[in-house]
């Protein structure tokens, strides 16, 4: 018994009944064309069964095909049911699919915005090998395929290779999954973006159960009061993940943050941040590997001094090796594992977007008046770190440098002259960052996971006050 729906069974029974009547009429001298026209009209008027108004709508050519199928199938109702188990006559061999997927996953490098290479490269390679007479898995050479194929074996072997027997669209249905293609084209790091990952539910965290630290470059340049030079601003934050609150931060020139700063940041934040460590449960401090982490000595003090009430953990870096002996992929951080702190950095950049000295978040977005232009060699933020640290800001930043140096020397000689500088100083930047962090810590306009509703009452027109301490 073929697998089919109830409607398909009812339709086949109805047509079987009508086709028997049609055969009897033809045997008595009626023409098949007239009977098909009559049958088409009757089917539109008669429902499939008494409890439904569904009718069979078929054209005469369709009825003629179904009649032929019914006759070839032994004049039984089952012959009119769809045959889902019938194999395609030109099915792509499994060995050819494997070869196509292998060609799609070669180390070709990222060729599009998704970091993968187009599958047309693999298909064109198959066509080229086919034309050159090479043996293709699942097909063999084109001469072997020609003599084995039922449709072509009866013809004379041509002098040149025929068209590849499968279209690019048909082969594309069997392209490898994105993660496999990215791993082969680019590397293990690229595949990570397409693979499954664990979704973290931060709403179950208790107070002080998880802290995380990470650094970022602020999208503002400022004047260093100690050197009188215009430098990039770096920030290192200490976040309590359950509340998304920043309990402490370090703000210094980008390349000046060292391990001692991190040790002091942790000690200060745990004592004065207002969250402390867990009571009856372990407090975890998570570092992004690749950034500055606490020293081994500090880790020993934290874990031993708290009687293992604190545990320091470090995230891994995405890296891999395609085969033994190959160069390893460049290790990269996993942004999915630190989404909470990356989200904060994005909001912080927005809060600071009106400060003077904006330098953009990448080379293309850098303002021309800071000397980041594409038409000169002034300063290019995304060179490697050694070159980036060695280069100085030029163009209009040179003006700020000269003014700052003059102001510094004047102050050292006892002069009270105050110049209007085009950029903020590092002390001013720290104050601005502190205000922005205070605002974001107290902002209730977000939909962070784990934040509950707060009941308020209107004590005066437009004045709302909390009724709870949450």
């Amino acid at each position: 018994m073929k697998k089919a729906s109830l409607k398909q069974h009812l339709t086949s029974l109805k047509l079987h009944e009508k086709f028997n009547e049609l055969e009897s009429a033809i045997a008595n001298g009626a023409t098949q064309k007239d009977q098909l026209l009559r049958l088409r009209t009757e089917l539109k008027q008669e429902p499939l069964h008494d409890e439904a108004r569904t009718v069979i709508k078929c054209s005469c050519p369709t009825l003629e095909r179904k009649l032929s199928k019914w006759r070839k199938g032994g004049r039984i109702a089952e012959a009119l049911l769809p045959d889902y188990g019938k194999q395609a006559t030109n099915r792509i061999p499994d060995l050819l699919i494997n070869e196509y997927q292998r060609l799609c996953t070669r180390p070709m490098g990222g060729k599009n915005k998704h970091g993968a290479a187009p599958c047309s490269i693999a298909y064109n390679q198959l066509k080229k090998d086919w034309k050159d007479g090479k043996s293709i898995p699942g097909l063999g050479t084109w001469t072997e395929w020609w003599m084995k194929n039922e449709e072509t074996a009866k013809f004379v072997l041509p002098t040149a290779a025929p068209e590849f027997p499968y279209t690019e669209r048909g082969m594309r249905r069997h392209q490898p999954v994105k993660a496999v293609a990215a791993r082969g084209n680019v590397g293990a790091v690229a595949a990570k973006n397409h693979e499954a990952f664990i979704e973290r539910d931060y709403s179950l965290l208790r107070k002080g159960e998880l802290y995380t630290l990470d650094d970022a470059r602020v999208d503002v340049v400022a004047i260093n009061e100690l050197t009188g030079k215009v430098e990039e601003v770096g920030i290192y934050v200490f976040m309590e993940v359950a509340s998304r609150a920043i309990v402490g931060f370090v703000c210094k020139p980008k390349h000046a943050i060292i391990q001692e700063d991190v040790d002091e940041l942790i000690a200060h934040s745990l004592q004065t941040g207002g969250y402390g460590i867990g009571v009856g449960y372990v407090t975890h401090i998570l570092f992004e590997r690749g950034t500055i982490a606490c020293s081994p000595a500090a880790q020993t003090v934290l874990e031993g001094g708290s009687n293992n009430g604190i545990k320091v953990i470090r995230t891994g870096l995405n890296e891999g090796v395609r085969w033994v002996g190959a160069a390893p992929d460049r290790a990269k951080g996993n942004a999915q594992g630190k989404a909470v702190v990356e989200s904060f950095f994005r909001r912080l950049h927005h809060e600071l977007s009106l400060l003077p000295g904006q330098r953009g978040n990448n080379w293309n977005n850098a303002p021309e008046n800071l000397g980041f232009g594409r038409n000169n060699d002034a300063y290019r933020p995304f060179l490697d770190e050694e070159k980036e640290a060695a280069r100085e800001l030029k163009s209009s930043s040179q003006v700020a440098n000269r003014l700052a140096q003059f102001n510094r020397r004047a102050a050292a000689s006892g002069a009270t002259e105050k110049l209007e500088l085009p950029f903020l100083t590092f002390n001013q930047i720290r104050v601005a960052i502190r205000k922005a962090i205070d605002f974001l810590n107290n902002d209730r306009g977000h939909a962070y996971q784990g934040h509950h509703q707060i009941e308020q009452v209107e004590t005066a027109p437009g004045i709302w006050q909390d009724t709870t301490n949450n």
Side-chain angles (χ1 to χ4, degrees):
M1 187 68 177
K2 295 181 180 179
K3 292 183 179 180
S5 65
L6 176 61
K7 181 180 178 181
Q8 289 170 334
H9 279 290
L10 293 175
T11 300
S12 63
L13 291 173
K14 188 76 171 180
L15 290 176
H16 172 69
E17 176 186 347
K18 294 295 182 180
F19 285 161
N20 279 323
E21 295 176 0
L22 181 144
E23 291 284 64
S24 300
I26 291 177
N28 293 326
T31 63
Q32 180 172 304
K33 181 178 180 180
D34 292 339
Q35 292 301 309
L36 290 175
L37 290 171
R38 179 188 60 80
L39 177 58
R40 182 189 65 179
T41 304
E42 290 181 357
L43 291 175
K44 289 182 180 180
Q45 297 174 350
E46 298 179 9
L48 281 177
H49 54 87
D50 297 337
E51 298 179 0
R53 298 181 180 180
T54 305
V55 297
I56 302 175
K57 296 181 180 180
C58 291
S59 63
C60 288
T62 300
L63 288 173
E64 189 173 6
R65 287 194 299 271
K66 290 181 178 295
L67 177 61
S68 176
K69 182 179 179 180
W70 176 73
R71 287 170 176 170
K72 292 179 180 179
R75 288 179 166 79
I76 58 177
E78 189 176 358
L80 296 170
L81 292 174
D83 189 2
Y84 295 116
K86 186 178 180 181
Q87 296 293 327
T89 57
N90 196 29
R91 183 177 179 273
I92 302 176
D94 292 338
L95 290 177
L96 178 58
I97 293 175
N98 293 340
E99 175 65 10
Y100 175 71
Q101 293 179 346
R102 184 190 71 82
L103 294 175
C104 287
T105 55
R106 291 176 297 176
M108 297 179 284
K111 302 298 182 184
N112 56 28
K113 64 181 181 179
H114 303 295
C119 293
S120 59
I121 298 177
Y123 182 74
N124 290 337
Q125 183 65 45
L126 289 174
K127 290 200 304 180
K128 183 177 182 299
D129 292 345
W130 175 263
K131 185 177 180 180
D132 293 342
K134 297 180 180 179
S135 180
I136 297 178
L139 297 178
T141 63
W142 70 265
T143 54
E144 295 172 346
W145 172 85
W146 182 278
M147 291 184 290
K148 292 179 181 179
N149 190 286
E150 295 181 358
E151 297 180 359
T152 59
K154 54 187 176 182
F155 298 102
V156 179
L157 186 69
T159 57
E163 291 292 326
F164 192 71
Y166 302 102
T167 64
E168 182 177 1
R169 182 178 179 182
M171 295 297 298
R172 193 178 289 274
R173 295 192 183 99
H174 302 281
Q175 63 185 347
V177 296
K178 292 181 179 180
V180 176
R183 180 178 291 272
N185 296 160
V186 184
V189 176
K192 182 68 176 181
N193 294 327
H194 303 287
E195 294 175 348
F197 60 93
I198 298 175
E199 183 177 354
R200 293 173 171 85
D201 186 359
Y202 296 121
S203 65
L204 303 178
L205 288 174
R206 292 163 288 189
K207 179 180 178 181
E209 188 172 8
L210 175 61
Y211 293 96
T212 186
L213 299 94
D214 201 6
D215 62 347
R217 186 216 65 210
V218 181
D219 295 340
V220 179
V221 293
I223 297 173
N224 189 339
E225 299 93 329
L226 300 178
T227 63
K229 293 182 179 181
V230 177
E231 301 181 22
E232 290 183 303
V233 181
I235 184 174
Y236 203 106
V237 300
F238 188 77
M239 172 184 280
E240 201 276 327
V241 178
S243 62
R244 311 304 198 276
I246 303 300
V247 296
F249 73 96
V250 173
C251 177
K252 297 177 68 175
K254 183 187 174 189
H255 299 284
I257 299 177
I258 58 178
Q259 200 168 69
E260 287 76 4
D261 296 323
V262 179
D263 294 345
E264 294 174 1
L265 172 63
I266 297 173
H268 175 76
S269 300
L270 290 177
Q271 295 178 51
T272 63
Y275 292 89
I277 64 175
V279 178
Y281 51 89
V282 177
T283 291
H284 299 83
I285 301 178
L286 175 65
F287 287 93
E288 168 67 17
R289 184 165 296 183
T291 62
I292 304 171
C294 72
S295 63
Q299 178 175 348
T300 302
V301 171
L302 286 171
E303 295 179 343
S306 62
N307 195 21
N308 293 323
I310 298 177
K311 182 175 179 58
V312 175
I313 53 179
R314 293 172 170 83
T315 63
L317 291 177
N318 296 331
E319 55 186 339
V321 178
R322 288 195 182 95
W323 46 271
V324 176
D329 297 337
R330 183 177 64 183
K332 296 182 180 179
N334 183 6
Q336 295 171 344
K338 53 172 185 173
V340 287
V341 70
E342 293 293 346
S343 175
F344 162 77
F345 283 139
R346 182 173 181 270
R347 299 181 70 210
L348 178 64
H349 292 321
H350 289 172
E351 290 297 320
L352 304 177
S353 59
L354 296 181
L355 296 180
Q358 296 294 322
R359 47 86 36 113
N361 59 347
N362 59 47
W363 177 54
N364 290 323
N365 296 338
E368 299 287 354
N369 63 346
L370 281 185
F372 301 161
R374 272 75 69 188
N375 299 324
N376 56 60
D377 296 328
Y379 178 70
R380 307 171 77 179
F382 288 105
L383 298 174
D384 58 271
E385 291 187 1
E386 291 77 9
K387 291 182 180 179
E388 181 180 347
R391 288 176 179 263
E392 292 183 354
L393 295 172
K394 295 185 179 180
S395 189
S396 66
S397 300
Q398 289 181 335
V399 179
N401 271 323
R402 289 194 292 268
L403 291 174
Q405 292 285 353
F406 176 80
N407 200 42
R408 179 170 170 267
R409 286 193 294 268
S413 62
T416 58
E417 187 68 26
K418 292 284 186 180
L419 296 178
E420 187 70 24
L421 301 177
F423 299 141
L424 298 178
T425 64
F426 267 84
N427 283 332
Q428 292 171 325
I429 284 290
R430 291 187 188 96
V431 173
I433 291 176
R434 165 52 64 192
K435 290 181 179 179
I437 289 177
D438 289 342
F439 170 76
L440 295 176
N441 282 346
N442 295 284
D443 179 25
R444 293 177 177 174
H446 52 65
Y448 277 144
Q449 200 176 39
H451 285 260
H452 307 286
Q453 293 182 350
I454 298 175
E455 295 182 1
Q456 292 185 326
V457 61
E458 189 175 15
T459 58
I463 305 298
W464 295 85
Q465 292 185 350
D466 296 349
T467 60
T468 63
N469 293 324
N470 294 335

